[in-house]
mmCIF file of all heavy atoms in Angstrom:
data_model
loop_
_atom_site.group_PDB
_atom_site.id
_atom_site.type_symbol
_atom_site.label_atom_id
_atom_site.label_comp_id
_atom_site.label_asym_id
_atom_site.label_seq_id
_atom_site.Cartn_x
_atom_site.Cartn_y
_atom_site.Cartn_z
ATOM 1 N N MET B 32 114.816 97.255 103.769
ATOM 2 C CA MET B 32 113.406 97.555 104.046
ATOM 3 C C MET B 32 112.527 96.849 103.022
ATOM 4 O O MET B 32 112.872 96.791 101.841
ATOM 5 C CB MET B 32 113.149 99.071 104.023
ATOM 6 C CG MET B 32 113.906 99.810 105.119
ATOM 7 S SD MET B 32 113.494 101.544 105.259
ATOM 8 C CE MET B 32 111.901 101.459 106.113
ATOM 9 N N TYR B 33 111.416 96.337 103.495
ATOM 10 C CA TYR B 33 110.525 95.509 102.691
ATOM 11 C C TYR B 33 109.104 96.072 102.732
ATOM 12 O O TYR B 33 108.678 96.650 103.736
ATOM 13 C CB TYR B 33 110.443 94.083 103.252
ATOM 14 C CG TYR B 33 111.742 93.382 103.532
ATOM 15 C CD1 TYR B 33 112.475 93.655 104.694
ATOM 16 C CD2 TYR B 33 112.235 92.402 102.660
ATOM 17 C CE1 TYR B 33 113.655 92.983 104.968
ATOM 18 C CE2 TYR B 33 113.416 91.723 102.940
ATOM 19 C CZ TYR B 33 114.109 92.017 104.089
ATOM 20 O OH TYR B 33 115.281 91.346 104.364
ATOM 21 N N TRP B 34 108.374 95.810 101.663
ATOM 22 C CA TRP B 34 106.929 96.056 101.650
ATOM 23 C C TRP B 34 106.222 94.742 101.325
ATOM 24 O O TRP B 34 106.515 94.108 100.304
ATOM 25 C CB TRP B 34 106.523 97.106 100.622
ATOM 26 C CG TRP B 34 106.756 98.517 101.062
ATOM 27 C CD1 TRP B 34 107.761 99.356 100.669
ATOM 28 C CD2 TRP B 34 105.953 99.275 101.976
ATOM 29 N NE1 TRP B 34 107.631 100.573 101.285
ATOM 30 C CE2 TRP B 34 106.530 100.557 102.095
ATOM 31 C CE3 TRP B 34 104.797 98.994 102.707
ATOM 32 C CZ2 TRP B 34 106.003 101.555 102.909
ATOM 33 C CZ3 TRP B 34 104.270 99.987 103.519
ATOM 34 C CH2 TRP B 34 104.877 101.255 103.617
ATOM 35 N N TYR B 35 105.305 94.375 102.223
ATOM 36 C CA TYR B 35 104.465 93.208 102.033
ATOM 37 C C TYR B 35 103.014 93.668 101.887
ATOM 38 O O TYR B 35 102.591 94.643 102.519
ATOM 39 C CB TYR B 35 104.544 92.257 103.230
ATOM 40 C CG TYR B 35 105.756 91.365 103.264
ATOM 41 C CD1 TYR B 35 106.984 91.820 103.744
ATOM 42 C CD2 TYR B 35 105.679 90.036 102.827
ATOM 43 C CE1 TYR B 35 108.092 90.987 103.785
ATOM 44 C CE2 TYR B 35 106.783 89.197 102.871
ATOM 45 C CZ TYR B 35 107.976 89.682 103.346
ATOM 46 O OH TYR B 35 109.079 88.860 103.380
ATOM 47 N N GLN B 36 102.259 92.914 101.102
ATOM 48 C CA GLN B 36 100.815 93.121 100.974
ATOM 49 C C GLN B 36 100.111 91.904 101.556
ATOM 50 O O GLN B 36 100.459 90.769 101.222
ATOM 51 C CB GLN B 36 100.427 93.281 99.502
ATOM 52 C CG GLN B 36 98.937 93.448 99.252
ATOM 53 C CD GLN B 36 98.579 93.229 97.788
ATOM 54 O OE1 GLN B 36 98.828 92.155 97.229
ATOM 55 N NE2 GLN B 36 98.016 94.234 97.151
ATOM 56 N N GLN B 37 99.143 92.152 102.422
ATOM 57 C CA GLN B 37 98.371 91.034 102.984
ATOM 58 C C GLN B 37 96.889 91.312 102.808
ATOM 59 O O GLN B 37 96.325 92.194 103.459
ATOM 60 C CB GLN B 37 98.687 90.811 104.458
ATOM 61 C CG GLN B 37 98.011 89.561 105.026
ATOM 62 C CD GLN B 37 98.350 89.303 106.479
ATOM 63 O OE1 GLN B 37 98.726 90.206 107.209
ATOM 64 N NE2 GLN B 37 98.207 88.055 106.900
ATOM 65 N N LYS B 38 96.266 90.548 101.941
ATOM 66 C CA LYS B 38 94.819 90.637 101.763
ATOM 67 C C LYS B 38 94.127 89.767 102.806
ATOM 68 O O LYS B 38 94.749 88.886 103.405
ATOM 69 C CB LYS B 38 94.430 90.229 100.349
ATOM 70 C CG LYS B 38 95.000 91.172 99.289
ATOM 71 C CD LYS B 38 94.549 90.803 97.889
ATOM 72 C CE LYS B 38 95.108 91.795 96.885
ATOM 73 N NZ LYS B 38 94.696 91.480 95.491
ATOM 74 N N SER B 39 92.856 90.040 103.000
ATOM 75 C CA SER B 39 92.103 89.367 104.052
ATOM 76 C C SER B 39 92.206 87.849 103.940
ATOM 77 O O SER B 39 91.975 87.277 102.862
ATOM 78 C CB SER B 39 90.636 89.800 103.977
ATOM 79 O OG SER B 39 89.886 89.191 104.999
ATOM 80 N N SER B 40 92.579 87.213 105.049
ATOM 81 C CA SER B 40 92.698 85.758 105.155
ATOM 82 C C SER B 40 93.746 85.162 104.212
ATOM 83 O O SER B 40 93.698 83.959 103.920
ATOM 84 C CB SER B 40 91.343 85.073 104.899
ATOM 85 O OG SER B 40 90.387 85.512 105.828
ATOM 86 N N GLN B 41 94.666 85.986 103.750
ATOM 87 C CA GLN B 41 95.727 85.481 102.889
ATOM 88 C C GLN B 41 97.092 85.674 103.551
ATOM 89 O O GLN B 41 97.231 86.380 104.549
ATOM 90 C CB GLN B 41 95.700 86.185 101.529
ATOM 91 C CG GLN B 41 94.444 85.898 100.718
ATOM 92 C CD GLN B 41 94.524 86.463 99.314
ATOM 93 O OE1 GLN B 41 95.597 86.758 98.801
ATOM 94 N NE2 GLN B 41 93.378 86.626 98.678
ATOM 95 N N ALA B 42 98.091 85.021 102.977
ATOM 96 C CA ALA B 42 99.453 85.162 103.470
ATOM 97 C C ALA B 42 100.028 86.512 103.066
ATOM 98 O O ALA B 42 99.711 87.028 101.985
ATOM 99 C CB ALA B 42 100.325 84.043 102.900
ATOM 100 N N PRO B 43 100.852 87.103 103.890
ATOM 101 C CA PRO B 43 101.591 88.292 103.446
ATOM 102 C C PRO B 43 102.427 87.948 102.215
ATOM 103 O O PRO B 43 103.048 86.880 102.150
ATOM 104 C CB PRO B 43 102.489 88.619 104.640
ATOM 105 C CG PRO B 43 101.818 87.982 105.810
ATOM 106 C CD PRO B 43 101.179 86.745 105.272
ATOM 107 N N LYS B 44 102.447 88.865 101.259
ATOM 108 C CA LYS B 44 103.146 88.633 100.001
ATOM 109 C C LYS B 44 104.142 89.761 99.772
ATOM 110 O O LYS B 44 103.774 90.933 99.818
ATOM 111 C CB LYS B 44 102.130 88.571 98.852
ATOM 112 C CG LYS B 44 102.731 88.375 97.476
ATOM 113 C CD LYS B 44 101.627 88.354 96.431
ATOM 114 C CE LYS B 44 102.209 88.240 95.027
ATOM 115 N NZ LYS B 44 103.045 89.397 94.677
ATOM 116 N N LEU B 45 105.394 89.406 99.514
ATOM 117 C CA LEU B 45 106.426 90.422 99.298
ATOM 118 C C LEU B 45 106.201 91.132 97.967
ATOM 119 O O LEU B 45 106.060 90.494 96.927
ATOM 120 C CB LEU B 45 107.809 89.767 99.317
ATOM 121 C CG LEU B 45 108.998 90.713 99.149
ATOM 122 C CD1 LEU B 45 109.102 91.687 100.326
ATOM 123 C CD2 LEU B 45 110.303 89.912 99.019
ATOM 124 N N LEU B 46 106.160 92.462 98.033
ATOM 125 C CA LEU B 46 106.030 93.273 96.817
ATOM 126 C C LEU B 46 107.400 93.665 96.269
ATOM 127 O O LEU B 46 107.690 93.504 95.089
ATOM 128 C CB LEU B 46 105.236 94.549 97.120
ATOM 129 C CG LEU B 46 103.782 94.366 97.518
ATOM 130 C CD1 LEU B 46 103.177 95.710 97.928
ATOM 131 C CD2 LEU B 46 102.982 93.741 96.384
ATOM 132 N N PHE B 47 108.238 94.224 97.135
ATOM 133 C CA PHE B 47 109.605 94.610 96.773
ATOM 134 C C PHE B 47 110.387 94.900 98.040
ATOM 135 O O PHE B 47 109.826 94.948 99.138
ATOM 136 C CB PHE B 47 109.653 95.836 95.843
ATOM 137 C CG PHE B 47 108.489 96.782 95.932
ATOM 138 C CD1 PHE B 47 108.145 97.400 97.115
ATOM 139 C CD2 PHE B 47 107.729 97.050 94.795
ATOM 140 C CE1 PHE B 47 107.085 98.271 97.181
ATOM 141 C CE2 PHE B 47 106.661 97.926 94.854
ATOM 142 C CZ PHE B 47 106.334 98.540 96.051
ATOM 143 N N HIS B 48 111.699 95.076 97.852
ATOM 144 C CA HIS B 48 112.520 95.460 98.982
ATOM 145 C C HIS B 48 113.694 96.304 98.507
ATOM 146 O O HIS B 48 114.048 96.299 97.322
ATOM 147 C CB HIS B 48 112.996 94.234 99.760
ATOM 148 C CG HIS B 48 114.136 93.487 99.112
ATOM 149 N ND1 HIS B 48 113.972 92.634 98.059
ATOM 150 C CD2 HIS B 48 115.465 93.488 99.397
ATOM 151 C CE1 HIS B 48 115.132 92.119 97.709
ATOM 152 N NE2 HIS B 48 116.063 92.620 98.499
ATOM 153 N N TYR B 49 114.232 97.065 99.438
ATOM 154 C CA TYR B 49 115.450 97.840 99.209
ATOM 155 C C TYR B 49 116.564 97.240 100.035
ATOM 156 O O TYR B 49 116.408 97.020 101.243
ATOM 157 C CB TYR B 49 115.256 99.293 99.662
ATOM 158 C CG TYR B 49 114.617 100.190 98.646
ATOM 159 C CD1 TYR B 49 113.250 100.402 98.642
ATOM 160 C CD2 TYR B 49 115.391 100.856 97.704
ATOM 161 C CE1 TYR B 49 112.659 101.244 97.724
ATOM 162 C CE2 TYR B 49 114.807 101.706 96.778
ATOM 163 C CZ TYR B 49 113.438 101.893 96.793
ATOM 164 O OH TYR B 49 112.858 102.730 95.887
ATOM 165 N N TYR B 50 117.683 96.960 99.373
ATOM 166 C CA TYR B 50 118.907 96.666 100.097
ATOM 167 C C TYR B 50 119.748 97.933 99.965
ATOM 168 O O TYR B 50 120.292 98.203 98.899
ATOM 169 C CB TYR B 50 119.631 95.450 99.535
ATOM 170 C CG TYR B 50 120.914 95.168 100.246
ATOM 171 C CD1 TYR B 50 120.906 94.743 101.567
ATOM 172 C CD2 TYR B 50 122.142 95.343 99.612
ATOM 173 C CE1 TYR B 50 122.077 94.495 102.236
ATOM 174 C CE2 TYR B 50 123.324 95.096 100.284
ATOM 175 C CZ TYR B 50 123.292 94.672 101.592
ATOM 176 O OH TYR B 50 124.457 94.426 102.266
ATOM 177 N N ASP B 51 119.793 98.701 101.032
ATOM 178 C CA ASP B 51 120.386 100.030 100.995
ATOM 179 C C ASP B 51 119.612 100.836 99.939
ATOM 180 O O ASP B 51 118.402 100.999 100.072
ATOM 181 C CB ASP B 51 121.875 99.953 100.692
ATOM 182 C CG ASP B 51 122.616 101.244 101.036
ATOM 183 O OD1 ASP B 51 121.985 102.127 101.666
ATOM 184 O OD2 ASP B 51 123.788 101.385 100.681
ATOM 185 N N LYS B 52 120.273 101.324 98.895
ATOM 186 C CA LYS B 52 119.560 102.096 97.879
ATOM 187 C C LYS B 52 119.121 101.253 96.690
ATOM 188 O O LYS B 52 118.466 101.751 95.763
ATOM 189 C CB LYS B 52 120.444 103.241 97.384
ATOM 190 C CG LYS B 52 120.789 104.257 98.457
ATOM 191 C CD LYS B 52 121.664 105.371 97.897
ATOM 192 C CE LYS B 52 122.008 106.381 98.993
ATOM 193 N NZ LYS B 52 122.886 107.471 98.463
ATOM 194 N N ASP B 53 119.501 100.001 96.700
ATOM 195 C CA ASP B 53 119.178 99.128 95.571
ATOM 196 C C ASP B 53 117.762 98.588 95.687
ATOM 197 O O ASP B 53 117.418 97.925 96.660
ATOM 198 C CB ASP B 53 120.158 97.961 95.507
ATOM 199 C CG ASP B 53 121.568 98.421 95.178
ATOM 200 O OD1 ASP B 53 121.706 99.458 94.497
ATOM 201 O OD2 ASP B 53 122.516 97.743 95.598
ATOM 202 N N PHE B 54 116.972 98.865 94.662
ATOM 203 C CA PHE B 54 115.567 98.465 94.631
ATOM 204 C C PHE B 54 115.448 97.092 93.972
ATOM 205 O O PHE B 54 116.036 96.843 92.921
ATOM 206 C CB PHE B 54 114.757 99.495 93.846
ATOM 207 C CG PHE B 54 113.314 99.144 93.690
ATOM 208 C CD1 PHE B 54 112.466 99.176 94.774
ATOM 209 C CD2 PHE B 54 112.803 98.787 92.446
ATOM 210 C CE1 PHE B 54 111.126 98.866 94.632
ATOM 211 C CE2 PHE B 54 111.471 98.474 92.292
ATOM 212 C CZ PHE B 54 110.622 98.515 93.384
ATOM 213 N N ASN B 55 114.658 96.213 94.586
ATOM 214 C CA ASN B 55 114.455 94.868 94.073
ATOM 215 C C ASN B 55 112.959 94.576 94.033
ATOM 216 O O ASN B 55 112.297 94.510 95.073
ATOM 217 C CB ASN B 55 115.153 93.842 94.971
ATOM 218 C CG ASN B 55 116.650 94.050 95.005
ATOM 219 O OD1 ASN B 55 117.376 93.511 94.177
ATOM 220 N ND2 ASN B 55 117.119 94.846 95.951
#
Side-chain angles (χ1 to χ4, degrees):
Chain B
M32 296 187 77
Y33 310 79
W34 281 104
Y35 280 82
Q36 178 195 59
Q37 186 178 23
K38 296 183 178 180
S39 181
S40 300
Q41 295 187 19
K44 178 181 177 297
L45 182 65
L46 295 174
F47 26 58
H48 77 282
Y49 275 94
Y50 178 68
D51 197 9
K52 297 180 180 179
D53 294 331
F54 177 70
N55 298 272

